[in-house]
Amino acid sequence: NAGVTQTPKFRILKIGQSMTLQCTQDMNHNYMYWYRQDPGMGLKLIYYSVGAGITDKGEVPNGYNVSRSTTEDFPLRLELAAPSQTSVYFCASSYSMTQTAAFFGQGTRLTV
Amino acid sequence: GQQVMQIPQYQHVQEGEDFTTYCNSSTTLSNIQWYKQRPGGHPVFLIQLVKSGEVKKQKRLTFQFGEAKKNSSLHITATQTTDVGTYFCAGNAGTASKLTFGTGTRLQVTL
């Protein structure tokens, strides 16, 4: 049982480059989230989705885009990478928003 | 917007001492969850509390949800070196779908 899988684990980008962070879950969870965690800091919500075709902004959405075409996948797109986007990115999923745990992927460490 | 603060930010204890972290939300929460993140790892779910005044125990860990559903605490009795990590609370405000995390408390335990 894979749970939540994120790829890649590490990435170095140059300023202005773009990339997509992949996230897939095999637990048939409806809710999926993207968080970023700066060194020694907490988790800030970037975007979230309550089901296929539905996405919404979190606290820090600027510079990012998401899509949710299937229940399993929730990719995060960085269009023009900036040094301020250097962080560890975590994808998480849960069955519903209120009654079950959020399961996290292993994270993607991004350096710009 | 909703803010969730935790105190202290950091605590260093000797093995065997007790530890408590407090979580305070600016808005009423429908539930509170607690997560543990080991250094270099990802957050791992510990527990969820839903009812006002609810208390749950997991071995040496005691979790409490405040009567007003705006605060929570995690108490660890007789800490061990395996308790090292950052403890986060997280919650949903009302019917909001997004899960907001607290600022976290980093626990260091030494022999």
Side-chain angles (χ1 to χ4, degrees):
Chain A
N1 191 358
V4 180
T5 303
Q6 289 183 238
T7 57
K9 287 187 169 54
F10 303 94
R11 185 72 186 267
I12 298 174
L13 286 181
K14 294 184 178 179
I15 295 172
Q17 286 185 318
S18 62
M19 76 164 293
T20 299
L21 282 67
Q22 301 291 344
C23 175
T24 187
Q25 52 91 9
D26 62 358
M27 297 174 283
N28 200 32
H29 283 173
N30 294 313
Y31 288 74
M32 295 189 75
Y33 312 86
W34 274 106
Y35 293 89
R36 61 174 285 174
Q37 185 175 35
D38 297 333
M41 304 294 285
L43 294 138
K44 293 184 178 178
L45 183 64
I46 306 172
Y47 271 95
Y48 65 102
S49 168
V50 301
I54 306 169
T55 63
D56 208 346
K57 295 177 180 179
E59 300 171 74
V60 289
N62 291 343
Y64 306 95
N65 277 301
V66 292
S67 59
R68 184 94 182 271
S69 56
T70 67
T71 300
E72 294 78 20
D73 301 307
F74 190 40
L76 177 71
R77 178 90 178 153
L78 282 72
E79 290 295 348
L80 291 170
S84 61
Q85 294 178 306
T86 294
S87 191
V88 179
Y89 292 83
F90 288 104
C91 177
S93 73
S94 66
Y95 183 70
S96 74
M97 74 162 179
T98 57
Q99 296 302 321
T100 61
F103 292 84
F104 280 77
Q106 300 291 320
T108 296
R109 188 175 297 275
L110 175 67
T111 302
V112 182
Chain B
Q2 180 192 7
Q3 290 188 337
V4 183
M5 305 296 292
Q6 285 182 250
I7 54 171
Q9 271 190 301
Y10 170 76
Q11 187 151 6
H12 183 182
V13 300
Q14 288 201 315
E15 192 176 47
E17 292 181 334
D18 292 356
F19 160 78
T20 304
T21 172
Y22 298 92
C23 172
N24 293 288
S25 171
S26 59
T27 56
T28 302
L29 301 170
S30 58
N31 66 82
I32 192 90
Q33 300 175 11
W34 284 92
Y35 294 78
K36 177 183 178 181
Q37 184 178 26
R38 294 183 188 275
H42 61 279
V44 175
F45 174 80
L46 294 175
I47 206 161
Q48 176 171 277
L49 305 170
V50 177
K51 298 176 185 175
S52 170
E54 190 171 10
V55 178
K56 287 189 177 180
K57 292 189 176 184
Q58 284 181 350
K59 297 182 181 177
R60 294 176 296 103
L61 277 61
T62 301
F63 304 85
Q64 187 165 5
F65 200 8
E67 294 289 342
K69 301 184 79 173
K70 294 182 74 173
N71 57 74
S72 180
S73 65
L74 158 60
H75 179 80
I76 303 179
T77 303
T79 55
Q80 300 175 358
T81 54
T82 53
D83 295 325
V84 165
T86 301
Y87 293 86
F88 291 99
C89 62
N92 302 97
T95 57
S97 301
K98 54 187 179 182
L99 185 61
T100 300
F101 275 75
T103 47
T105 295
R106 187 162 70 93
L107 173 64
Q108 180 65 34
V109 181
T110 51
L111 293 171

